[in-house]
PDB file of all heavy atoms in Angstrom:
ATOM      1  N   LYS A 221      -9.820  -4.981   4.548  1.00  0.00           N
ATOM      2  CA  LYS A 221      -9.043  -3.743   4.689  1.00  0.00           C
ATOM      3  C   LYS A 221      -7.669  -4.043   5.292  1.00  0.00           C
ATOM      4  O   LYS A 221      -6.647  -3.509   4.840  1.00  0.00           O
ATOM      5  CB  LYS A 221      -9.817  -2.755   5.565  1.00  0.00           C
ATOM      6  CG  LYS A 221      -9.146  -1.398   5.721  1.00  0.00           C
ATOM      7  CD  LYS A 221     -10.010  -0.463   6.553  1.00  0.00           C
ATOM      8  CE  LYS A 221      -9.338   0.903   6.726  1.00  0.00           C
ATOM      9  NZ  LYS A 221     -10.184   1.814   7.541  1.00  0.00           N
ATOM     10  N   LYS A 222      -7.655  -4.912   6.299  1.00  0.00           N
ATOM     11  CA  LYS A 222      -6.395  -5.285   6.932  1.00  0.00           C
ATOM     12  C   LYS A 222      -5.501  -6.047   5.965  1.00  0.00           C
ATOM     13  O   LYS A 222      -4.279  -5.841   5.928  1.00  0.00           O
ATOM     14  CB  LYS A 222      -6.680  -6.142   8.171  1.00  0.00           C
ATOM     15  CG  LYS A 222      -5.436  -6.535   8.953  1.00  0.00           C
ATOM     16  CD  LYS A 222      -5.805  -7.340  10.196  1.00  0.00           C
ATOM     17  CE  LYS A 222      -4.552  -7.732  10.977  1.00  0.00           C
ATOM     18  NZ  LYS A 222      -4.906  -8.526  12.189  1.00  0.00           N
ATOM     19  N   ARG A 223      -6.081  -6.918   5.150  1.00  0.00           N
ATOM     20  CA  ARG A 223      -5.300  -7.700   4.179  1.00  0.00           C
ATOM     21  C   ARG A 223      -4.623  -6.789   3.163  1.00  0.00           C
ATOM     22  O   ARG A 223      -3.461  -6.986   2.806  1.00  0.00           O
ATOM     23  CB  ARG A 223      -6.192  -8.715   3.459  1.00  0.00           C
ATOM     24  CG  ARG A 223      -6.568  -9.930   4.298  1.00  0.00           C
ATOM     25  CD  ARG A 223      -7.382 -10.926   3.472  1.00  0.00           C
ATOM     26  NE  ARG A 223      -6.616 -11.377   2.316  1.00  0.00           N
ATOM     27  CZ  ARG A 223      -5.708 -12.358   2.356  1.00  0.00           C
ATOM     28  NH1 ARG A 223      -5.450 -12.978   3.488  1.00  0.00           N
ATOM     29  NH2 ARG A 223      -5.066 -12.719   1.260  1.00  0.00           N
ATOM     30  N   ILE A 224      -5.360  -5.790   2.678  1.00  0.00           N
ATOM     31  CA  ILE A 224      -4.779  -4.867   1.699  1.00  0.00           C
ATOM     32  C   ILE A 224      -3.599  -4.118   2.314  1.00  0.00           C
ATOM     33  O   ILE A 224      -2.546  -3.962   1.676  1.00  0.00           O
ATOM     34  CB  ILE A 224      -5.865  -3.885   1.204  1.00  0.00           C
ATOM     35  CG1 ILE A 224      -6.924  -4.637   0.387  1.00  0.00           C
ATOM     36  CG2 ILE A 224      -5.234  -2.765   0.379  1.00  0.00           C
ATOM     37  CD1 ILE A 224      -8.118  -3.789   0.010  1.00  0.00           C
ATOM     38  N   MET A 225      -3.745  -3.660   3.561  1.00  0.00           N
ATOM     39  CA  MET A 225      -2.653  -2.960   4.239  1.00  0.00           C
ATOM     40  C   MET A 225      -1.435  -3.877   4.403  1.00  0.00           C
ATOM     41  O   MET A 225      -0.305  -3.479   4.121  1.00  0.00           O
ATOM     42  CB  MET A 225      -3.130  -2.472   5.609  1.00  0.00           C
ATOM     43  CG  MET A 225      -2.054  -1.745   6.405  1.00  0.00           C
ATOM     44  SD  MET A 225      -2.591  -1.371   8.091  1.00  0.00           S
ATOM     45  CE  MET A 225      -2.615  -3.032   8.798  1.00  0.00           C
ATOM     46  N   LEU A 226      -1.664  -5.127   4.842  1.00  0.00           N
ATOM     47  CA  LEU A 226      -0.563  -6.060   5.053  1.00  0.00           C
ATOM     48  C   LEU A 226       0.111  -6.441   3.730  1.00  0.00           C
ATOM     49  O   LEU A 226       1.333  -6.576   3.663  1.00  0.00           O
ATOM     50  CB  LEU A 226      -1.069  -7.316   5.759  1.00  0.00           C
ATOM     51  CG  LEU A 226      -1.426  -7.146   7.236  1.00  0.00           C
ATOM     52  CD1 LEU A 226      -2.155  -8.383   7.753  1.00  0.00           C
ATOM     53  CD2 LEU A 226      -0.168  -6.896   8.059  1.00  0.00           C
ATOM     54  N   GLN A 227      -0.683  -6.614   2.677  1.00  0.00           N
ATOM     55  CA  GLN A 227      -0.110  -6.949   1.373  1.00  0.00           C
ATOM     56  C   GLN A 227       0.802  -5.830   0.880  1.00  0.00           C
ATOM     57  O   GLN A 227       1.877  -6.094   0.327  1.00  0.00           O
ATOM     58  CB  GLN A 227      -1.233  -7.209   0.363  1.00  0.00           C
ATOM     59  CG  GLN A 227      -1.908  -8.559   0.551  1.00  0.00           C
ATOM     60  CD  GLN A 227      -3.142  -8.724  -0.313  1.00  0.00           C
ATOM     61  OE1 GLN A 227      -3.702  -7.751  -0.827  1.00  0.00           O
ATOM     62  NE2 GLN A 227      -3.594  -9.959  -0.467  1.00  0.00           N
ATOM     63  N   ASN A 228       0.397  -4.585   1.088  1.00  0.00           N
ATOM     64  CA  ASN A 228       1.242  -3.450   0.693  1.00  0.00           C
ATOM     65  C   ASN A 228       2.545  -3.442   1.498  1.00  0.00           C
ATOM     66  O   ASN A 228       3.623  -3.185   0.953  1.00  0.00           O
ATOM     67  CB  ASN A 228       0.484  -2.138   0.895  1.00  0.00           C
ATOM     68  CG  ASN A 228      -0.649  -1.964  -0.102  1.00  0.00           C
ATOM     69  OD1 ASN A 228      -0.619  -2.545  -1.188  1.00  0.00           O
ATOM     70  ND2 ASN A 228      -1.645  -1.162   0.253  1.00  0.00           N
ATOM     71  N   GLU A 229       2.448  -3.729   2.802  1.00  0.00           N
ATOM     72  CA  GLU A 229       3.644  -3.756   3.641  1.00  0.00           C
ATOM     73  C   GLU A 229       4.575  -4.905   3.242  1.00  0.00           C
ATOM     74  O   GLU A 229       5.801  -4.746   3.249  1.00  0.00           O
ATOM     75  CB  GLU A 229       3.240  -3.884   5.114  1.00  0.00           C
ATOM     76  CG  GLU A 229       2.557  -2.635   5.659  1.00  0.00           C
ATOM     77  CD  GLU A 229       2.065  -2.826   7.080  1.00  0.00           C
ATOM     78  OE1 GLU A 229       2.000  -3.999   7.532  1.00  0.00           O
ATOM     79  OE2 GLU A 229       1.747  -1.821   7.745  1.00  0.00           O
ATOM     80  N   VAL A 230       4.011  -6.040   2.897  1.00  0.00           N
ATOM     81  CA  VAL A 230       4.819  -7.179   2.442  1.00  0.00           C
ATOM     82  C   VAL A 230       5.560  -6.835   1.159  1.00  0.00           C
ATOM     83  O   VAL A 230       6.756  -7.115   1.013  1.00  0.00           O
ATOM     84  CB  VAL A 230       3.928  -8.425   2.250  1.00  0.00           C
ATOM     85  CG1 VAL A 230       4.668  -9.495   1.442  1.00  0.00           C
ATOM     86  CG2 VAL A 230       3.507  -8.992   3.595  1.00  0.00           C
ATOM     87  N   GLU A 231       4.863  -6.232   0.208  1.00  0.00           N
ATOM     88  CA  GLU A 231       5.502  -5.870  -1.055  1.00  0.00           C
ATOM     89  C   GLU A 231       6.606  -4.842  -0.842  1.00  0.00           C
ATOM     90  O   GLU A 231       7.660  -4.905  -1.486  1.00  0.00           O
ATOM     91  CB  GLU A 231       4.450  -5.331  -2.034  1.00  0.00           C
ATOM     92  CG  GLU A 231       3.480  -6.385  -2.539  1.00  0.00           C
ATOM     93  CD  GLU A 231       4.189  -7.555  -3.200  1.00  0.00           C
ATOM     94  OE1 GLU A 231       5.151  -7.312  -3.971  1.00  0.00           O
ATOM     95  OE2 GLU A 231       3.806  -8.707  -2.938  1.00  0.00           O
ATOM     96  N   THR A 232       6.394  -3.893   0.068  1.00  0.00           N
ATOM     97  CA  THR A 232       7.420  -2.892   0.375  1.00  0.00           C
ATOM     98  C   THR A 232       8.671  -3.547   0.945  1.00  0.00           C
ATOM     99  O   THR A 232       9.806  -3.220   0.559  1.00  0.00           O
ATOM    100  CB  THR A 232       6.874  -1.862   1.379  1.00  0.00           C
ATOM    101  OG1 THR A 232       5.750  -1.184   0.788  1.00  0.00           O
ATOM    102  CG2 THR A 232       7.939  -0.831   1.739  1.00  0.00           C
ATOM    103  N   LEU A 233       8.490  -4.492   1.863  1.00  0.00           N
ATOM    104  CA  LEU A 233       9.625  -5.188   2.468  1.00  0.00           C
ATOM    105  C   LEU A 233      10.346  -6.071   1.445  1.00  0.00           C
ATOM    106  O   LEU A 233      11.577  -6.156   1.452  1.00  0.00           O
ATOM    107  CB  LEU A 233       9.149  -6.029   3.650  1.00  0.00           C
ATOM    108  CG  LEU A 233       8.767  -5.231   4.913  1.00  0.00           C
ATOM    109  CD1 LEU A 233       8.045  -6.127   5.908  1.00  0.00           C
ATOM    110  CD2 LEU A 233      10.016  -4.620   5.542  1.00  0.00           C
ATOM    111  N   LYS A 234       9.597  -6.713   0.560  1.00  0.00           N
ATOM    112  CA  LYS A 234      10.223  -7.525  -0.485  1.00  0.00           C
ATOM    113  C   LYS A 234      11.072  -6.663  -1.414  1.00  0.00           C
ATOM    114  O   LYS A 234      12.174  -7.053  -1.813  1.00  0.00           O
ATOM    115  CB  LYS A 234       9.155  -8.268  -1.290  1.00  0.00           C
ATOM    116  CG  LYS A 234       8.543  -9.452  -0.573  1.00  0.00           C
ATOM    117  CD  LYS A 234       7.532 -10.156  -1.457  1.00  0.00           C
ATOM    118  CE  LYS A 234       6.983 -11.396  -0.780  1.00  0.00           C
ATOM    119  NZ  LYS A 234       5.965 -12.096  -1.627  1.00  0.00           N
ATOM    120  N   THR A 235      10.546  -5.494  -1.735  1.00  0.00           N
ATOM    121  CA  THR A 235      11.302  -4.568  -2.588  1.00  0.00           C
ATOM    122  C   THR A 235      12.571  -4.105  -1.900  1.00  0.00           C
ATOM    123  O   THR A 235      13.630  -3.989  -2.531  1.00  0.00           O
ATOM    124  CB  THR A 235      10.419  -3.357  -2.943  1.00  0.00           C
ATOM    125  OG1 THR A 235       9.242  -3.809  -3.622  1.00  0.00           O
ATOM    126  CG2 THR A 235      11.172  -2.394  -3.848  1.00  0.00           C
ATOM    127  N   ALA A 236      12.487  -3.856  -0.592  1.00  0.00           N
ATOM    128  CA  ALA A 236      13.666  -3.427   0.167  1.00  0.00           C
ATOM    129  C   ALA A 236      14.672  -4.557   0.329  1.00  0.00           C
ATOM    130  O   ALA A 236      15.890  -4.321   0.364  1.00  0.00           O
ATOM    131  CB  ALA A 236      13.230  -2.918   1.540  1.00  0.00           C
ATOM    132  N   LEU A 237      14.183  -5.787   0.408  1.00  0.00           N
ATOM    133  CA  LEU A 237      15.066  -6.933   0.645  1.00  0.00           C
ATOM    134  C   LEU A 237      15.859  -7.332  -0.600  1.00  0.00           C
ATOM    135  O   LEU A 237      17.018  -7.767  -0.497  1.00  0.00           O
ATOM    136  CB  LEU A 237      14.234  -8.126   1.129  1.00  0.00           C
ATOM    137  CG  LEU A 237      14.981  -9.414   1.462  1.00  0.00           C
ATOM    138  CD1 LEU A 237      15.976  -9.186   2.582  1.00  0.00           C
ATOM    139  CD2 LEU A 237      13.989 -10.526   1.829  1.00  0.00           C
ATOM    140  N   GLU A 238      15.263  -7.153  -1.764  1.00  0.00           N
ATOM    141  CA  GLU A 238      15.884  -7.644  -3.003  1.00  0.00           C
ATOM    142  C   GLU A 238      17.287  -7.099  -3.239  1.00  0.00           C
ATOM    143  O   GLU A 238      18.225  -7.878  -3.464  1.00  0.00           O
ATOM    144  CB  GLU A 238      14.961  -7.326  -4.184  1.00  0.00           C
ATOM    145  CG  GLU A 238      15.432  -7.947  -5.487  1.00  0.00           C
ATOM    146  CD  GLU A 238      14.427  -7.745  -6.601  1.00  0.00           C
ATOM    147  OE1 GLU A 238      13.239  -7.449  -6.307  1.00  0.00           O
ATOM    148  OE2 GLU A 238      14.825  -7.869  -7.770  1.00  0.00           O
ATOM    149  N   PRO A 239      17.522  -5.775  -3.197  1.00  0.00           N
ATOM    150  CA  PRO A 239      18.892  -5.289  -3.425  1.00  0.00           C
ATOM    151  C   PRO A 239      19.856  -5.679  -2.298  1.00  0.00           C
ATOM    152  O   PRO A 239      21.051  -5.856  -2.547  1.00  0.00           O
ATOM    153  CB  PRO A 239      18.719  -3.768  -3.497  1.00  0.00           C
ATOM    154  CG  PRO A 239      17.446  -3.475  -2.783  1.00  0.00           C
ATOM    155  CD  PRO A 239      16.570  -4.648  -3.028  1.00  0.00           C
ATOM    156  N   VAL A 240      19.344  -5.809  -1.092  1.00  0.00           N
ATOM    157  CA  VAL A 240      20.197  -6.225   0.028  1.00  0.00           C
ATOM    158  C   VAL A 240      20.698  -7.646  -0.193  1.00  0.00           C
ATOM    159  O   VAL A 240      21.886  -7.942   0.000  1.00  0.00           O
ATOM    160  CB  VAL A 240      19.437  -6.118   1.366  1.00  0.00           C
ATOM    161  CG1 VAL A 240      20.272  -6.695   2.507  1.00  0.00           C
ATOM    162  CG2 VAL A 240      19.077  -4.674   1.664  1.00  0.00           C
ATOM    163  N   VAL A 241      19.808  -8.534  -0.619  1.00  0.00           N
ATOM    164  CA  VAL A 241      20.195  -9.921  -0.886  1.00  0.00           C
ATOM    165  C   VAL A 241      21.201  -9.989  -2.033  1.00  0.00           C
ATOM    166  O   VAL A 241      22.183 -10.735  -1.971  1.00  0.00           O
ATOM    167  CB  VAL A 241      18.953 -10.778  -1.204  1.00  0.00           C
ATOM    168  CG1 VAL A 241      19.366 -12.154  -1.714  1.00  0.00           C
ATOM    169  CG2 VAL A 241      18.073 -10.904   0.022  1.00  0.00           C
ATOM    170  N   ALA A 242      20.958  -9.193  -3.081  1.00  0.00           N
ATOM    171  CA  ALA A 242      21.870  -9.186  -4.219  1.00  0.00           C
ATOM    172  C   ALA A 242      23.277  -8.744  -3.790  1.00  0.00           C
ATOM    173  O   ALA A 242      24.284  -9.353  -4.174  1.00  0.00           O
ATOM    174  CB  ALA A 242      21.334  -8.281  -5.314  1.00  0.00           C
ATOM    175  N   GLU A 243      23.341  -7.683  -2.994  1.00  0.00           N
ATOM    176  CA  GLU A 243      24.639  -7.198  -2.508  1.00  0.00           C
ATOM    177  C   GLU A 243      25.277  -8.205  -1.559  1.00  0.00           C
ATOM    178  O   GLU A 243      26.489  -8.439  -1.588  1.00  0.00           O
ATOM    179  CB  GLU A 243      24.455  -5.849  -1.814  1.00  0.00           C
ATOM    180  CG  GLU A 243      25.769  -5.184  -1.409  1.00  0.00           C
ATOM    181  CD  GLU A 243      25.554  -3.846  -0.748  1.00  0.00           C
ATOM    182  OE1 GLU A 243      24.395  -3.403  -0.626  1.00  0.00           O
ATOM    183  OE2 GLU A 243      26.573  -3.231  -0.335  1.00  0.00           O
ATOM    184  N   TRP A 244      24.443  -8.813  -0.698  1.00  0.00           N
ATOM    185  CA  TRP A 244      24.918  -9.810   0.264  1.00  0.00           C
ATOM    186  C   TRP A 244      25.528 -11.016  -0.446  1.00  0.00           C
ATOM    187  O   TRP A 244      26.587 -11.515  -0.049  1.00  0.00           O
ATOM    188  CB  TRP A 244      23.736 -10.225   1.131  1.00  0.00           C
ATOM    189  CG  TRP A 244      23.994 -11.343   2.097  1.00  0.00           C
ATOM    190  CD1 TRP A 244      24.663 -11.285   3.274  1.00  0.00           C
ATOM    191  CD2 TRP A 244      23.540 -12.698   1.962  1.00  0.00           C
ATOM    192  NE1 TRP A 244      24.667 -12.510   3.896  1.00  0.00           N
ATOM    193  CE2 TRP A 244      23.975 -13.401   3.102  1.00  0.00           C
ATOM    194  CE3 TRP A 244      22.806 -13.383   0.999  1.00  0.00           C
ATOM    195  CZ2 TRP A 244      23.707 -14.751   3.302  1.00  0.00           C
ATOM    196  CZ3 TRP A 244      22.530 -14.728   1.198  1.00  0.00           C
ATOM    197  CH2 TRP A 244      22.989 -15.394   2.336  1.00  0.00           C
ATOM    198  N   GLU A 245      24.881 -11.482  -1.513  1.00  0.00           N
ATOM    199  CA  GLU A 245      25.388 -12.635  -2.259  1.00  0.00           C
ATOM    200  C   GLU A 245      26.719 -12.340  -2.930  1.00  0.00           C
ATOM    201  O   GLU A 245      27.535 -13.245  -3.136  1.00  0.00           O
ATOM    202  CB  GLU A 245      24.353 -13.086  -3.287  1.00  0.00           C
ATOM    203  CG  GLU A 245      23.130 -13.750  -2.666  1.00  0.00           C
ATOM    204  CD  GLU A 245      22.083 -14.127  -3.685  1.00  0.00           C
ATOM    205  OE1 GLU A 245      22.159 -13.600  -4.833  1.00  0.00           O
ATOM    206  OE2 GLU A 245      21.190 -14.932  -3.350  1.00  0.00           O
TER     207      GLU A 245
END
């Protein structure tokens, strides 16, 4: 149960990071 919650949080952060990195580059 904890792994599923953490995996969802990781995917959310990766999605948020992608456009920031693109703009940063």
Side-chain angles (χ1 to χ4, degrees):
K221 183 178 180 180
K222 183 178 180 180
R223 285 184 60 83
I224 293 173
M225 179 187 70
L226 288 169
Q227 284 172 343
N228 290 336
E229 291 175 345
V230 165
E231 291 304 318
T232 298
L233 287 168
K234 285 182 176 179
T235 301
L237 181 61
E238 187 174 341
V240 174
V241 170
E243 186 179 358
W244 174 76
E245 289 177 344

